[in-house]
Amino acid sequence: MDNRPIGVFDSGLGGLTAVRELSRLLPGEDIIYFGDTGRVPYGGRSRQTIIKYARQDANFLSSFELKIILVACGTVSSTALDIVAAESSLPVVGVVRPASQRAAELSRTGRIGLIGTQATIRTGAYERHITTLRPEAELISQPCPLFVPLVENGRFRPGDVVIETVVREYLQPLKDRTVDTLVLGCTHYPLLREVIAAFMGPEVQLVDSGAEGARRTADRLRSMDALADPGRPGACRYYVSDSTEGFAQLASVFLQRDVNEQVQQIEIENFDSGI
Ligand code: DGL
């Protein structure tokens, strides 16, 4: 038994979709969440900048006594997971590997769609993992740079003409290629699930990368025999790099519950290790 918290980070609030699944699976776990709200989005930035930010984010979380870190960000998982893992003394789990595995298992035809940030698509990380598992699979990728700002601004609901127009524009090519499985390769995208599912149709299965990362984290803790005492209520603490104003309201949308816990603003640049 291990009651130390799980650390989770993302470029913004999208990683809370992974926290939601973690809390559902393991309600006894304490979670420390960092959202880099002052610098979101990461997805249009260079590899070097993403690596620098990821190091600072992981350094901040490592200032707590944690048992594992979940990188609940598709952009960081595809760009810098190996670096963060190599420099951390803790086990580090990302979202790309578990989501790739799920997609490879679910797809009947092997025609798999991937949507994510420009940085995620650029790395080719999903192609590598999926074709290792299913060499005949065909991955059709589409960067969706407008999704994160729209989601963070609350424009994700069915009936919203802006998001419905952008979804059509980005996803029509994937629909035309008749993908049967679509990986939501960015942890912000589950908020768009309803709009995306309505556009793609019921025959296309959606893979939620944040939820898959949460499941992989739970499996890892089980295999390490490091789950928290199941009888205790887990608590969440939130840290952000921009103002905390409006956090509870927006976070409650990602978590699908009221957020009454503590949220604190930190200076993330103070956590630079100078590498
Ligand atoms: N949640 C991040 C991801 O999964 C958002 C992307 C961004 O910051 O651009 O990629």
Side-chain angles (χ1 to χ4, degrees), residues 6-274:
I6 300 171
V8 180
F9 78 85
D10 178 38
S11 57
L13 300 188
L16 293 174
T17 58
V19 170
R20 184 176 79 212
E21 181 66 5
L22 258 186
S23 307
R24 191 185 71 78
L25 293 170
L26 305 173
E29 299 292 336
D30 288 346
I31 296 172
I32 295 187
Y33 183 84
F34 173 64
D36 197 358
T37 52
R39 304 189 296 197
V40 70
Y42 285 7
R45 299 184 191 270
S46 67
R47 181 170 180 272
Q48 269 143 312
T49 301
I50 295 167
I51 291 171
K52 175 176 143 193
Y53 289 177
R55 281 184 163 133
Q56 292 173 349
D57 301 345
N59 284 347
F60 167 66
L61 282 182
S62 302
S63 64
F64 299 88
E65 215 189 303
L66 303 174
K67 58 183 169 187
I68 196 164
I69 291 178
L70 168 59
V71 180
C73 176
T75 305
V76 174
S77 295
S78 55
T79 308
L81 192 79
D82 292 350
I83 294 172
V84 171
E87 292 172 5
S88 176
S89 55
L90 296 168
V92 176
V93 175
V95 297
V96 174
R97 221 176 255 269
S100 299
Q101 193 172 341
R102 183 87 181 126
E105 283 162 7
L106 275 181
S107 176
R108 283 165 283 109
T109 62
R111 265 195 311 284
I112 299 171
L114 166 68
I115 53 175
T117 66
Q118 286 156 305
T120 297
I121 305 293
R122 182 178 66 212
T123 64
Y126 272 98
E127 274 96 333
R128 281 196 296 282
H129 289 301
I130 290 175
T131 53
T132 302
L133 296 163
R134 267 186 83 164
E136 88 293 1
E138 191 191 349
L139 192 72
I140 299 127
S141 305
Q142 173 68 49
C144 303
L146 292 175
F147 278 178
V148 169
L150 285 170
V151 166
E152 294 247 341
N153 283 286
R155 307 297 297 266
F156 52 82
R157 294 191 175 81
D160 182 319
V161 66
V162 175
I163 193 62
E164 288 190 339
T165 306
V166 177
V167 163
R168 192 178 328 114
E169 166 101 11
Y170 284 148
L171 300 190
Q172 189 67 52
L174 303 184
K175 200 171 174 174
D176 292 344
R177 300 282 296 276
T178 61
V179 299
D180 75 345
T181 302
L182 177 63
V183 180
L184 309 182
C186 167
T187 52
H188 281 70
Y189 298 176
L191 269 78
L192 298 170
R193 191 178 189 108
E194 269 187 83
V195 182
I196 291 173
F199 180 77
M200 295 303 287
E203 60 290 346
V204 177
Q205 317 197 62
L206 303 183
V207 175
D208 174 341
S209 55
E212 295 305 326
R215 281 175 213 134
R216 180 63 56 90
T217 305
D219 290 346
R220 192 76 176 270
L221 289 174
R222 260 182 228 111
S223 70
M224 289 157 55
D225 200 17
L227 291 173
D229 178 351
R232 69 198 286 279
C236 276
R237 264 149 76 193
Y238 305 102
Y239 295 86
V240 289
S241 54
D242 199 1
S243 160
T244 58
E245 203 190 319
F247 173 85
Q249 199 191 349
L250 196 51
S252 69
V253 176
F254 284 88
L255 290 165
Q256 291 178 358
R257 64 168 174 82
D258 288 343
V259 175
N260 309 306
E261 300 97 328
Q262 187 193 335
V263 51
Q264 208 175 307
Q265 183 175 357
I266 57 130
E267 282 299 333
I268 190 62
E269 263 145 40
N270 292 347
F271 292 86
D272 203 287
S273 52

